[in-house]
């Protein structure tokens, strides 16, 4: 079965990102399943903020997602509208909005809702974590 993940819960005030990562790891470990991609929306886009630093005694869920995605070649999409609303920009968006800095963490891609639609259409199941 081919899965895609849709995450809306905050990486700091919910366990949505953690639970979704556990699910994603289980999917890729079972050779009968594949994972097409992950789409972060609403408060979940905060996971891609390169300037957010969790306390040293907590796991860095952002880095864990990036490592997982790199290891398994899974794209990590961040809703561009939700990210911009929260002050998260990649280099291209910073230039477009004439801002000197950008803070989108490496490994994440700013994309529109069309990417979510594509993921949903190519997947047998889309799992939401909120």
């Amino acid at each position: 079965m081919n899965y895609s993940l849709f995450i809306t819960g905050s990486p700091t005030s919910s366990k949505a990102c953690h639970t979704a990562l556990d699910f994603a790891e289980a999917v890729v470990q079972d050779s009968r399943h594949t994972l097409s991609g992950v789409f972060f929306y609403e408060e979940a886009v905060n996971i891609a903020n390169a300037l957010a630093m969790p306390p040293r005694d907590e796991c860095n869920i952002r880095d864990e997602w990036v490592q997982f995605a790199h290891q398994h070649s899974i794209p990590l999409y961040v809703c561009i509208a939700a990210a911009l609303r929260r002050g998260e920009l990649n280099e291209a968006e910073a230039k477009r909005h004439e801002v000197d800095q950008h803070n989108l963490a490496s490994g994440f891609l700013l994309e529109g809702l069309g990417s979510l639609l594509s993921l949903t259409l190519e997947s047998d199941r889309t799992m939401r974590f909120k």
Side-chain angles (χ1 to χ4, degrees):
M1 186 166 299
N2 185 14
Y3 290 94
S4 60
L5 304 184
F6 179 54
I7 305 171
T8 59
S10 167
T12 57
S13 62
S14 80
K15 289 294 181 184
C17 293
H18 297 79
T19 305
L21 181 57
D22 290 343
F23 182 84
E25 289 172 339
V27 167
V28 298
Q29 288 177 5
D30 188 333
S31 62
R32 298 172 297 165
H33 304 301
T34 58
L35 181 58
S36 293
V38 181
F39 195 91
F40 296 92
Y41 187 62
E42 295 176 346
E43 293 303 316
V45 302
N46 288 321
I47 196 167
N49 185 343
L51 300 177
M53 294 295 133
R56 290 180 186 246
D57 63 340
E58 293 180 14
C59 77
N60 187 326
I61 192 66
R62 176 192 61 236
D63 291 349
E64 288 188 23
W65 266 111
V66 170
Q67 181 181 7
F68 169 81
H70 179 73
Q71 182 179 2
H72 299 286
S73 300
I74 308 289
L76 300 176
Y77 301 115
V78 176
C79 176
I80 189 168
L84 291 177
R85 184 176 299 118
R86 290 163 179 83
E88 295 176 29
L89 301 93
N90 63 8
E91 189 173 359
E93 287 300 311
K95 286 180 184 175
R96 187 168 80 89
H97 294 281
E98 299 178 356
V99 176
D100 294 331
Q101 303 295 317
H102 56 90
N103 62 339
L104 190 75
S106 177
F108 293 91
L109 305 166
L110 286 182
E111 294 285 335
L113 290 175
S115 294
L116 174 61
L117 181 61
S118 294
L119 275 177
T120 302
L121 291 174
E122 70 186 44
S123 301
D124 300 311
R125 297 277 188 275
T126 299
M127 302 296 291
R128 181 178 180 198
F129 297 85
K130 57 180 184 170

